[in-house]
Amino acid sequence: MTRIGIAAVQGAVREHERVLSALGAKTSLVRRSEDLAGLDGLILPGGESTTIGMLFEEYGISDVLRRGEIPVFGTCAGMILLAKEIEGSEQPRLGLMDIAVRRNAFGRQRESFEEEIAVPAISTDEPIRGVFIRAPYVTSTGAGVEVLGTLDGKIVLCRQGRMLAGSFHPELTDDLRLHRYFLEEVVGQGA
Ligand code: GLN
């Protein structure tokens, strides 16, 4: 059985557990670096990226994840933590993806909204539903980064090998396909 950890130092955890269990994965919560042992993949949930980043450093989680051996799916704050570059910020990060991100990038009018995102790698006719909450987007990508989804021309979903990053919260909908993609295509392929 695939074992997926969910980083649980701060932020939304329960909904990811529900989705992963529905897909037949075994889940566990990650609060300390020891909790990473034996995992096939890890979800970095939304929350406050500055807080999560600081706690990851303090608990030694960053050191382990920076080895790049555990496939990671970062959503929202998780995307920010995966980025090498965070616009205007020196906050702690994992820096596992060659992407630059802008925090709270959709502005005050669009603090929280729901939108359908075309993700051809998953389906050519049925878009993914995403909930955006003070969401970031990607402003630039390096050569190894595959753009999987955009919204109004902004990159909101991308992948680099074992790392997958999304601006939005797929776990807050009934759409399981993005988590399934992570399990089957990212964790499963060991890319
Ligand atoms: N705005 C938050 C941050 O910058 C992310 C919001 C979220 O994860 N929903 O960390």
Side-chain angles (χ1 to χ4, degrees):
M1 202 184 218
T2 310
R3 278 193 56 194
I4 305 293
I6 304 164
V9 296
Q10 193 261 346
V13 169
R14 295 275 161 244
E15 289 80 6
H16 284 289
E17 272 187 316
R18 176 185 59 82
V19 176
L20 291 164
S21 304
L23 291 168
K26 185 170 157 38
T27 61
S28 58
L29 301 185
V30 172
R31 297 201 170 91
R32 296 285 185 273
S33 58
E34 305 86 79
D35 301 332
L36 293 165
L39 292 182
D40 300 305
L42 178 74
I43 303 274
L44 290 187
E48 185 52 49
S49 59
T50 45
T51 309
I52 301 173
M54 271 177 345
L55 294 172
F56 272 12
E57 294 293 337
E58 197 175 318
Y59 300 152
I61 294 174
S62 300
D63 286 339
V64 178
L65 292 179
R66 279 198 200 101
R67 293 180 203 145
E69 288 158 6
I70 302 175
V72 178
F73 177 17
T75 66
C76 204
M79 169 190 255
I80 297 166
L81 289 164
L82 284 173
K84 280 217 163 84
E85 215 181 302
I86 304 168
E87 220 175 67
S89 174
E90 296 301 320
Q91 69 191 78
R93 70 207 65 181
L94 301 169
L96 287 161
M97 291 179 75
D98 289 321
I99 57 176
V101 297
R102 181 176 300 163
R103 294 177 63 193
N104 304 319
F106 289 94
R108 285 208 166 272
Q109 286 76 29
R110 303 193 84 196
E111 283 229 323
S112 166
F113 59 97
E114 219 171 305
E115 200 65 70
E116 297 198 324
I117 312 297
V119 183
I122 292 179
S123 164
T124 47
D125 53 8
E126 250 192 87
I128 299 278
R129 228 182 151 65
V131 179
F132 292 75
I133 304 167
R134 293 182 297 112
Y137 61 65
V138 174
T139 54
S140 71
T141 58
V145 178
E146 188 186 350
V147 174
L148 298 174
T150 58
L151 172 61
D152 303 335
K154 319 288 190 208
I155 300 166
V156 294
L157 184 66
C158 59
R159 174 183 179 178
Q160 183 171 15
R162 290 174 162 166
M163 308 296 153
L164 179 67
S167 300
F168 51 91
H169 293 260
E171 78 283 6
L172 298 179
T173 69
D174 291 329
D175 194 337
L176 309 183
R177 289 175 296 162
L178 202 46
H179 287 79
R180 183 182 292 129
Y181 174 86
F182 178 62
L183 292 178
E184 290 179 359
E185 304 296 329
V186 182
V187 174
Q189 305 294 308

